């Protein structure tokens, strides 16, 4: 049996789960689920799939980890904070959690090429023991490896001024998606419409100056095209599936996928059932209704590869525990560690070892190396 693949997950809402769901991500999956067993405040209680031990078990040694804080004006229909300043404060609390995990040796911030190469060298040269990587070979003195994270902001509502964006860059922010769901201060997202506002163009200009990547995920169609016109730097779609296979504006149409590819960008495939299959009804459908399994994501991978003509523009951006749990994931995905099923599934579809290594982590790693050269 070959060693488990090293995985780069391009979208995980770690701090949101820690602070808003009150999950200690250092706990085991079982312990978190037991603690949540009788809690009914959220639909996904007791159904989480992500924690730091499971990430290590699944060799998810590197990820893009988010901050998130939506501004919801008085008549806004989506939940959020009543002012940009409150949303900013929320993201700063999330940043404090990342710092606390760094102090505990659980996480390490990856901000540049040197950080990236150092972290990869640490993980890829360490022995694998029962699915976990260790700093030293002696089991008695083993210290588990820190998980590397590239800090991203999902939705720009919390950027009070462009000065706040520069402060965020100094704090490690390296990617930003201007929109989330609905209308936003800087861009409009899923289920919204309209052009990129003038302040959005100013935001993109400042992102380019600072060297912050553009994450085009969630942008409504008009804002997507406006953003590509206004920003000429490195971009990706961290957690984005194919509209041709799961019709809804949350996914990208083929011309959008091709545009990302032509810009040298990547798309990370997401494991949210509503993004994987057609006809999913939120809060009503169940994975068993569609016999949904992990292999379905290979259809989205195939579709992107066919549009690209190769396998160099697709990776993994699971969005696991992004406001949902196993009630909205493939039936055979109980934990983020189950991503290790993908290499075998892709082998069965004729993908080469090099292509599989690229999809599991290499494509996003090479993107970072080019962007940080």
């Amino acid at each position: 049996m070959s060693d488990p693949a090293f995985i780069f997950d391009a979208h995980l809402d770690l701090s949101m789960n820690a602070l808003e769901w009150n999950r200690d991500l250092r706990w085991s999956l079982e312990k978190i689920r037991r603690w949540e067993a009788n809690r009914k405040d959220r639909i996904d209680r007791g159904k989480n799939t992500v924690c730091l031990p499971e990430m290590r078990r699944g060799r998810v040694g590197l990820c893009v980890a988010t901050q998130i804080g939506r501004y919801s004006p008085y008549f806004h229909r989506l939940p959020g904070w009543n002012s940009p300043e409150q949303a900013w404060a929320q993201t700063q609390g999330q940043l404090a959690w990342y710092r606390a995990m760094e102090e505990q040796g659980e996480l390490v911030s990856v901000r540049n090429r040197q950080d990236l190469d150092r972290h990869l060298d640490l993980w890829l040269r360490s022995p694998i023991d029962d699915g976990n990587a260790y700093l030293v070979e002696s089991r008695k003195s083993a210290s588990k490896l820190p998980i590397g994270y590239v800090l991203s902001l999902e939705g720009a509502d919390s950027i009070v001024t462009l000065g706040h964006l520069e402060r965020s860059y100094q704090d490690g922010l390296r990617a930003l998606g201007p929109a989330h769901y609905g209308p936003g201060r800087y861009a409009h997202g899923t289920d919204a419409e309209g052009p990129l506002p003038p302040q959005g163009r100013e935001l993109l200009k400042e992102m380019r100056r600072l060297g912050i990547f553009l994450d085009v995920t969630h942008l409504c169609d008009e804002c997507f095209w406006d953003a590509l016109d206004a920003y000429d730097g490195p971009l990706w779609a961290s957690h984005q599936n194919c509209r041709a296979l799961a019709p809804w504006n949350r996914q990208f149409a083929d011309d959008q996928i091709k545009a990302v590819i032509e810009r040298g960008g990547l798309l990370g495939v997401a494991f949210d059932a509503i993004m994987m299959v057609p006809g999913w009804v939120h809060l009503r459908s169940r994975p068993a209704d569609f016999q949904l399994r992990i292999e379905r994501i290979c259809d989205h991978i195939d579709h992107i590869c066919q549009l690209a003509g190769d396998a160099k523009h697709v990776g993994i951006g699971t969005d696991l525990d992004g406001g949902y749990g196993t009630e909205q994931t493939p039936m055979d995905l109980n934990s983020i560690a189950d991503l290790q099923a993908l290499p075998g599934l892709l082998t069965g579809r004729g993908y080469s070892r090099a292509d599989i290594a690229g999809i599991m982590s290499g494509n996003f790693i090479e993107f970072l190396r080019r962007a940080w050269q």
Side-chain angles (χ1 to χ4, degrees), residues 2 13 25 71 84 87 132 157 196 199 225 280 311 315 331:
S2 61
D13 297 310
L25 297 183
Y71 165 50
N132 287 301
D157 286 356
L196 193 70
Q199 59 266 38
W225 295 111
W280 184 277
M331 295 184 295

Side-chain angles (χ1 to χ4, degrees), residues 106-340:
E106 298 283 349
L107 298 176
V108 62
S109 177
V110 176
R111 306 183 182 199
N112 53 47
R113 174 74 177 265
Q114 292 73 29
D115 290 346
L116 177 66
D117 289 343
R118 185 183 309 114
H119 182 70
L120 291 173
D121 181 63
L122 186 64
W123 268 80
L124 299 179
R125 68 177 168 81
S126 297
I128 298 171
D129 186 351
D130 298 330
N132 287 301
Y134 291 92
L135 285 169
V136 294
E137 294 189 25
S138 171
R139 194 173 181 85
K140 292 181 180 179
S141 60
S143 175
K144 289 184 178 179
L145 293 170
I147 294 167
Y149 75 98
V150 178
L151 187 64
S152 179
L153 179 64
E154 186 171 24
D157 286 356
S158 62
I159 301 297
V160 182
T161 69
L162 295 185
H164 288 75
L165 182 65
E166 184 159 10
R167 287 166 59 183
S168 294
Y169 178 81
Q170 297 300 327
D171 285 331
L173 186 70
R174 292 297 181 268
L176 188 153
H180 193 220
Y181 282 86
R185 295 180 62 219
Y186 294 97
H188 309 305
T190 303
D191 289 338
E193 58 185 23
L196 193 70
Q199 59 266 38
R201 294 182 179 275
E202 291 301 314
L203 178 78
L204 292 173
K205 182 179 178 181
E206 184 67 359
M207 286 170 58
R208 186 69 176 105
R209 183 185 74 83
L210 292 168
I212 296 174
F213 312 144
L214 170 62
D215 187 348
V216 294
T217 305
H218 277 293
L219 287 171
C220 74
D221 290 358
E222 194 169 354
C223 281
F224 171 87
W225 295 111
D226 286 348
L228 262 61
D229 286 340
Y231 178 92
D232 65 354
L235 60 83
W236 62 35
S238 62
H239 54 305
Q240 194 77 47
N241 290 354
C242 307
R243 194 176 299 179
L245 303 179
W248 176 31
N249 64 68
R250 171 63 183 85
Q251 283 68 258
F252 276 172
D254 286 0
D255 59 346
Q256 294 173 298
I257 294 172
K258 289 177 181 178
V260 172
I261 291 167
E262 289 167 2
R263 289 283 296 269
L266 278 84
L267 297 98
V269 291
F271 286 74
D272 184 345
I274 200 170
M275 296 173 59
M276 294 177 70
V277 295
W280 184 277
V281 180
H282 188 49
L283 302 181
R284 286 176 52 191
S285 294
R286 292 292 179 264
D289 299 340
F290 299 83
Q291 287 300 296
L292 178 61
R293 300 186 183 278
I294 292 172
E295 186 163 11
R296 187 69 64 90
I297 204 65
C298 296
D299 295 341
H300 290 268
I301 293 172
D302 284 344
H303 191 77
I304 294 168
C305 291
Q306 290 298 320
L307 292 174
D310 58 39
K312 299 182 185 300
H313 294 274
V314 62
I316 295 170
T318 63
D319 196 23
L320 289 173
D321 292 357
Y324 65 96
T326 54
E327 82 288 350
Q328 201 165 305
T329 66
M331 295 184 295
D332 50 347
L333 196 154
N334 179 62
S335 156
I336 192 170
D338 292 325
L339 294 176
Q340 288 295 341

Side-chain angles (χ1 to χ4, degrees), residues 324-370:
Y324 65 96
T326 54
E327 82 288 350
Q328 201 165 305
T329 66
M331 295 184 295
D332 50 347
L333 196 154
N334 179 62
S335 156
I336 192 170
D338 292 325
L339 294 176
Q340 288 295 341
L342 270 176
L345 294 171
L346 292 170
T347 297
R349 292 190 177 218
Y351 284 80
S352 70
R353 292 182 63 180
D355 286 343
I356 294 169
I359 292 166
M360 300 303 288
S361 63
N363 291 339
F364 270 109
I365 289 170
E366 288 307 309
F367 175 98
L368 290 176
R369 283 179 168 151
R370 291 194 304 269

